[in-house]
Amino acid sequence: MTAPLFHLDPGSLDAAEPGSTIRVAGPEGHHAATVMRLGAGEAVQLSDTQNRRVGGVVLSADAGELSVQVRTVHDEPVLRPKLVLVQALAKDKRDLQAVESATELGVEAIIPWEADRSVVRWKPGREAKKHAEWLSTVRSSAKQTRRTAIPEVRDLHTTAQYCRLVQQSPGVAAVALHEVEETSLRTALTSAGVLDADPGIEELHLVVGPEGGISDQELTQLADVGTLSARLGRTVLRTSTAGPAAVAAAQLLLGRWDWP
């Protein structure tokens, strides 16, 4: 089993080098020392939640904190395009299921989307609470799967707001997943130039509708700002499945899972 990973604040590992000592306190220190009861000599991993990962061993464990000696330091490369899941709000927490699984599979940012057919709505005054719930899901999933970076959860967007975002972002390629489309994801990504050797694309957005799917009006609005459409396989996927499946497929098509 791999060593447990603890997420520290951004910048907290900037000075880390083999032989140096890092103090792990706060909620992560409490979890490591009090809940997991880690002790001297045990291996741990530390992350700055961005791109730096440290491997080390526990020197000492006190009440609610660890002292960790650094053994290795690794800076993960910044990959382009960034994978972004645009996930429609859905009932029975199927949207959160999608967010959790997409985080496990490597998505790098998430945009909550209030689609026309979204049964669930973030009521005025509760947006911050719902956003925090999505962020908590992402953080837990990232920690469980030993991810160095915690995906960003952006603000809730309506269809009109999202279309303006795409229109004003020349570095974004967007693909809406639609059950009656006959174009494959590979074909759509090729058409958008995402699979080129040097695509010049900063972000790839994978757009997933709610239980009732993306409405025809929304598909027109999305197409008008350059969004392409694609279908994943022969079956109709649930909103909780389509996003994670698309993220996994994109990872393979981009060659990011071709490890030696």
Side-chain angles (χ1 to χ4, degrees):
M1 183 175 178
T2 58
L5 173 69
F6 300 97
H7 285 128
L8 307 186
D9 292 334
S12 60
L13 299 178
D14 287 356
E17 58 182 19
S20 62
T21 301
I22 302 293
R23 177 174 170 266
V24 181
E28 291 290 72
H30 171 78
H31 184 70
T34 307
V35 179
M36 296 186 68
R37 297 186 178 182
L38 296 179
E42 295 192 71
V44 295
Q45 300 178 74
L46 307 177
S47 158
D48 66 355
T49 74
Q50 296 177 329
N51 73 318
R52 173 161 285 199
R53 181 191 291 260
V54 162
V57 294
V58 177
L59 290 177
S60 62
D62 298 317
E65 67 177 60
L66 296 181
S67 178
V68 177
Q69 185 177 60
V70 176
R71 294 286 178 85
T72 61
V73 179
H74 175 66
D75 291 322
E76 295 184 355
V78 177
L79 302 177
R80 291 290 182 269
K82 179 183 291 186
L83 293 180
V84 180
L85 173 61
V86 183
Q87 175 63 49
L89 305 185
K91 64 181 182 180
D92 298 328
K93 295 190 180 294
R94 291 200 177 103
D95 45 13
L96 286 177
Q97 291 176 32
V99 166
E100 181 180 56
S101 296
T103 300
E104 293 179 22
L105 293 163
V107 77
E108 290 151 305
I110 295 162
I111 299 176
W113 174 31
E114 188 177 271
D116 288 348
R117 293 175 177 167
S118 289
V119 176
V120 171
R121 302 279 166 164
W122 289 6
K123 297 178 182 179
R126 293 177 57 85
E127 295 94 342
K129 182 177 180 180
K130 298 304 293 185
H131 184 274
E133 185 178 10
W134 281 46
L135 184 56
S136 176
T137 298
V138 164
R139 285 175 172 165
S140 296
S141 183
K143 185 174 181 179
Q144 179 67 32
T145 51
R146 314 293 199 272
R147 283 193 59 172
T148 299
I150 296 177
E152 173 189 8
V153 180
R154 298 178 184 171
D155 291 338
L156 176 70
H157 282 62
T158 63
T159 302
Q161 289 171 333
Y162 178 69
C163 287
R164 283 197 296 272
L165 171 67
V166 175
Q167 191 172 35
Q168 296 168 5
S169 306
V172 168
V175 178
L177 305 176
H178 191 51
E179 64 187 67
V180 300
E181 181 59 59
E182 296 184 357
T183 301
S184 70
L185 182 61
R186 182 193 293 273
T187 300
L189 297 187
T190 300
S191 297
V194 175
L195 302 184
D196 294 347
D198 185 16
I201 295 172
E202 291 297 311
E203 296 186 349
L204 168 60
H205 290 199
L206 301 167
V207 184
V208 178
E211 297 90 339
I214 303 174
S215 70
D216 291 341
Q217 180 180 354
E218 286 174 319
L219 284 172
T220 299
Q221 291 174 275
L222 289 166
D224 286 345
V225 296
T227 302
L228 302 178
S229 295
R231 179 171 176 171
L232 293 173
R234 299 180 181 275
T235 59
V236 177
L237 302 180
R238 286 180 130 175
T239 186
S240 56
T241 309
V247 171
Q251 296 277 38
L252 287 168
L253 291 170
L254 290 166
R256 295 181 180 175
W257 285 358
D258 296 338
W259 298 101

